[in-house]
Amino acid sequence: MCRIFAACLKDGKVSPILKTGLKRLEYGGYDSAGMATIDNGNLEIKKGVGKIDEVDRIVNFESLNGNIGIAHNRWATHGYPSITNAHPLTDCTGEIAVVHNGVIENFLELKEELIKNGHEIKSRTDTEVVAHLVEEEVKKGNDLVKACLKAIKRVEGSYALAIIYSKEPDKIVLIRKESPLYLGIGKDGNFASSDPVAFVDKTNLMIPLEDYELAVITPYYYKIYSIKDEKEILRNPVEIDIKPQMIEKGGYPHYMLKEIFEQPISLYYAINVQRLYLNAIAEPMSRSKVNFLIGAGTSYHSCLAGSYMYSKISGLATIPVVASEFIQQYGNTLDPDTSLLLVSQSGETADVLKVASYARMKASTVMSITNVVSSTITRLSRLYLVQQAGPEIGVAATKTYTSQLLIHLLLALEIGKKREKINENEYNEYYTKIRSIPKAAEFVLKSTDQKAKQAAEMLKDYTHIFYLGRGINTATAFEGRLKMLEIAYIPSSAFSAGESKHGPIALIEKNTPVIFIAPKDESRKVILGNIMEIKSRGGKIITLGTNDDRELKEVSDFYIDMPEADELITPILYILPLQLIAYYTAVLKGLDPDKPRNLAKSVTVE
Ligand code: F6R
């Protein structure tokens, strides 16, 4: 969950470039930050605890000289956030520096061995052992590349590593296993990062590293080696599909707000995913005996909503499961007749990747939906679809959620056609409705923005909020709740409204806020009953319903008008005001919605 960035320039000072890159990577971790450069053969390090700007104010990263360096944003896994535990971490001589994203599983064992051999381990991190293992190898006379190739064979776990050595001041070694790592091949120098957004303004060419690969970059060339047999691998760069302007805030105060308002565009791109790929995924899903939909957090919620779409449009039963539970709950049932559709915005969520590898072992069909073209999930999947939502920098998923929902809907249509559950006319009618989604989303964002601000003002001081929905909008309730609790830190619960009287209703007191998602669909009548049950116990009723629903308006204390829409499209539209409410609540509480505490954009550890 940390992020790393490395750069070596033909000419000029590297520290300002590293700092800009770190800021772009801040979504991945922000409890400490650090940078190391080599200046005139000396290793110089600056690091500290806090967000990059806070650390920078104290250490002034740009005071580091030198044309080569590595940098790191930390999201602590081993060792609390402290200066000592912040990366870069060094060996005993202070000549080797390492930054790392991942988890080194056998670090305790390695640490014990290194201490016995006379090394002094200063931090409580799992990473520092790598610097000392490389030190051992250079002491034996190996050059940096050879030393790293030998050292890494001792390491178990996941890693994206960047390593520099002051005695070989023109080289950076990069090593990858199970954590994302990309080389950036530029005219003025070469780069490497956990995410190409760090160097997208410096080059439009990149090379994704694969597991068990080690690369070395200098200002003038790059080389890639297989860790297993130490042979060189030849690989050409590919073009990066991100434009620099896509990663700026575009005048919005936060990425999250920008990304919420980008949804009409990201939905438009989702509609235009290639039919060829939709068809290719629809094919095994239509044929398989069992279909699972798997994701974590928000991506799981899209699977939950998706399961209603597959059932209603294509008569296909799909089982939505959270990735971290999948292997224990269903692992034993997998066989070649099973299909898994994995959904992961980043394509790097460790729990999801683990399911992919496991299912491959069982010869099941692994397919995925992701927003990151060259992410690990694409390499583990037999087929994958790219959402094309553009980079999502805010930690809380917004535009990628609605684009996932739309892709489920498109897939459901293809499957419906294949299984002859819908005819050509119905298929075309659905497509007409789907094409109107970006405009409808734009309308909803504009028309509910003010109301969302008022709702946030009303909700900000509550200590608990309920979200209730029925049918497909159970997923909307779950997702609205997740947004509120993760960025505004208000404990919130979500249930299918039918469940409310099976327990949750015990918590309703005078003025307990309950948000109902109540479009005009087949559950509209029953949800009214659920609203009345809560109202009669004093609950404060906040409803999202259609603008002509007088009955609902009358029983609600606060009402957000929504346009009429097809039932299966409502989750895409109804989540929009809930995202805005969570955003404005966080801002009113003085919180930074782009960087919720303890969270990282992609969770690359189990
Ligand atoms: C919540 C959020 C997370 C992610 C989850 C999975 O706003 O962003 O719950 O949805 O960590 O991430 P991906 O989709 O990258 O696998």
Side-chain angles (χ1 to χ4, degrees), residues 296-299 343-349 352 392 395-397 404 479 482-483 486 600-603:
T298 293
S299 295
V343 182
S344 174
Q345 182 286 126
S346 62
E348 300 294 349
T349 296
V352 177
E392 190 175 64
V395 165
Q404 287 168 357
E479 177 58 10
L482 181 61
K483 291 291 91 97
E486 71 178 332
K601 182 70 185 160
S602 77
V603 184

Side-chain angles (χ1 to χ4, degrees), residues 15 29 43 53 55 66-67 163 185 262 278 280 321 326 402 407 415 504 555 576 601:
S15 52
L43 187 69
D53 286 339
V55 179
N67 66 328
I163 304 170
I185 309 305
E262 271 173 1
L278 282 174
V321 193
F326 183 81
T402 48
I407 289 173
I415 298 170
V555 297
L576 304 175
K601 182 70 185 160

Side-chain angles (χ1 to χ4, degrees), residues 26 40 58 86 97 102 107 141 189-190 215 278 293 352 362 375 389 455 465 471 556 595:
E26 200 166 13
N40 281 326
I58 299 165
F107 85 100
N190 291 318
L278 282 174
L293 310 174
V352 177
K362 296 272 192 163
S375 58
I465 302 170
S556 303
K595 301 184 195 84

Side-chain angles (χ1 to χ4, degrees), residues 5 7 9 11-24 35 37 52 56 60-68 71 191 198 201-202:
F5 183 29
L9 306 178
D11 203 14
K13 205 160 125 169
V14 78
S15 52
I17 291 170
L18 288 176
K19 192 173 96 180
T20 309
L22 273 193
K23 288 281 301 166
R24 293 197 189 132
M35 194 183 287
T37 60
I52 293 154
D56 189 40
N60 185 12
F61 283 126
E62 292 190 26
S63 63
L64 285 172
N65 291 316
N67 66 328
I68 184 163
F191 308 85
D201 54 337
K202 300 287 160 214

Side-chain angles (χ1 to χ4, degrees), residues 323-604:
S324 55
E325 283 303 312
F326 183 81
I327 295 175
Q328 292 220 41
Q329 198 177 359
Y330 291 108
N332 216 20
T333 68
L334 296 188
D335 63 22
D337 283 336
T338 311
S339 283
L340 293 86
L341 182 61
L342 305 169
V343 182
S344 174
Q345 182 286 126
S346 62
E348 300 294 349
T349 296
D351 289 324
V352 177
L353 298 183
K354 199 166 163 193
V355 172
S357 305
Y358 185 89
R360 278 163 64 111
M361 234 166 53
K362 296 272 192 163
S364 300
T365 305
V366 175
M367 298 171 291
S368 57
I369 301 174
T370 182
N371 194 35
V372 182
V373 179
S374 43
S375 58
T376 309
I377 194 90
T378 61
R379 276 168 266 149
L380 294 176
S381 306
R382 205 170 95 194
L383 294 159
Y384 63 88
L385 245 171
V386 180
Q387 305 175 225
Q388 304 174 27
E392 190 175 64
I393 311 281
V395 165
T398 51
K399 62 175 177 174
T400 54
Y401 175 62
T402 48
S403 104
Q404 287 168 357
L405 291 175
L406 206 147
I407 289 173
H408 281 301
L409 193 52
L410 296 177
L411 276 172
L413 269 182
E414 293 307 319
I415 298 170
K417 202 158 92 174
K418 276 190 200 307
R419 291 168 52 93
E420 297 180 356
K421 297 289 174 186
I422 48 169
N423 60 33
E424 195 65 32
N425 267 351
E426 287 165 321
Y427 177 91
N428 289 337
E429 265 170 38
Y430 244 112
Y431 251 93
T432 310
K433 287 185 195 167
I434 288 173
R435 276 196 216 94
S436 71
I437 294 176
K439 270 254 160 300
E442 195 177 344
F443 172 78
V444 170
L445 286 167
K446 275 199 191 128
S447 62
T448 62
D449 190 41
Q450 214 36 45
K451 272 280 176 89
K453 284 182 189 151
Q454 289 165 13
E457 190 64 59
M458 179 171 80
L459 292 168
K460 69 179 194 311
D461 298 318
Y462 279 102
T463 51
H464 191 269
I465 302 170
F466 275 108
Y467 288 76
L468 299 182
R470 282 192 94 109
I472 193 167
N473 282 300
T474 300
T476 313
F478 284 169
E479 177 58 10
R481 180 249 354 217
L482 181 61
K483 291 291 91 97
M484 180 61 91
L485 66 84
E486 71 178 332
I487 63 163
Y489 310 154
I490 300 184
S492 307
S493 316
F495 294 93
S496 150
E499 277 292 291
S500 58
K501 43 184 178 305
H502 298 287
I505 204 162
L507 285 176
I508 303 297
E509 297 175 345
K510 192 166 170 21
N511 274 334
T512 304
V514 184
I515 299 180
F516 279 94
I517 297 111
K520 259 199 198 147
D521 58 16
E522 60 181 81
S523 45
R524 152 70 181 72
K525 259 213 172 73
V526 242
I527 213 164
L528 181 64
N530 301 134
I531 293 178
M532 296 317 291
E533 287 152 16
I534 303 280
K535 194 172 172 67
S536 60
R537 285 159 181 86
K540 193 183 195 67
I541 310 293
I542 299 148
T543 309
L544 277 68
T546 51
N547 39 20
D548 60 349
D549 200 329
R550 302 234 314 261
E551 205 176 8
L552 272 191
K553 276 189 184 170
E554 262 164 38
V555 297
S556 303
D557 297 293
F558 190 89
Y559 196 85
I560 300 188
D561 285 301
M562 297 291 292
E564 206 144 331
D566 183 277
E567 178 191 1
L568 300 185
I569 290 174
T570 54
I572 300 176
L573 301 180
Y574 278 63
I575 192 59
L576 304 175
L578 297 181
Q579 293 170 343
L580 286 170
I581 292 173
Y583 170 80
Y584 290 124
T585 308
V587 172
L588 283 172
K589 291 181 73 176
L591 302 167
D592 180 349
D594 282 344
K595 301 184 195 84
R597 72 179 170 228
N598 305 334
L599 291 177
K601 182 70 185 160
S602 77
V603 184
T604 53

